[in-house]
Amino acid sequence: MSEDSNNYRYKKTPLWLIIVTVIAMLPVLAFPALLNSHIGNGETKALLWLYPVYVAASGICAVICYRERPEVTWILLTLMILSHAAMWILHYGY
């Protein structure tokens, strides 16, 4: 192990990043409303059920990987926000 990798291990994740990640995860709180008003086939319902699992996993991975690869964190957060938009479009249409 190099000295640089040891520094990454002990570097704390900043509080502002955790706050940004939680804010990016907030739209998933509308999941029960989306599920109750969903009218569609089984494929879209399966995607709708996987949506909160994806958001939780993406948020956790974004916080964890910030120490070593901050650019991956921003990519994960961007994909999470795009998935929020995709779920709303899937549910409500254009």
Side-chain angles (χ1 to χ4, degrees):
M1 242 188 223
S2 69
E3 189 175 315
D4 289 335
S5 64
N6 287 334
N7 289 339
Y8 285 129
R9 193 176 340 152
Y10 299 113
K11 190 169 129 180
K12 282 184 86 170
T13 304
L15 180 62
W16 63 265
L17 178 74
I18 295 171
I19 292 171
V20 167
T21 304
V22 169
I23 289 171
M25 293 172 71
L26 284 178
V28 83
L29 294 177
F31 172 70
L34 287 175
L35 193 59
N36 285 337
S37 64
H38 180 68
I39 300 171
N41 59 13
E43 294 169 355
T44 59
K45 195 155 197 140
L47 284 175
L48 195 58
W49 273 104
L50 289 174
Y51 169 57
V53 175
Y54 166 74
V55 170
S58 182
I60 290 168
C61 289
V63 170
I64 290 172
C65 77
Y66 180 77
R67 290 184 240 163
E68 290 189 38
R69 298 181 183 259
E71 54 278 344
V72 174
T73 295
W74 297 115
I75 292 169
L76 286 171
L77 290 175
T78 303
L79 289 174
M80 182 192 314
I81 292 168
L82 289 173
S83 73
H84 293 316
M87 283 299 121
W88 284 92
I89 290 171
L90 176 69
H91 184 70
Y92 295 113
Y94 288 108

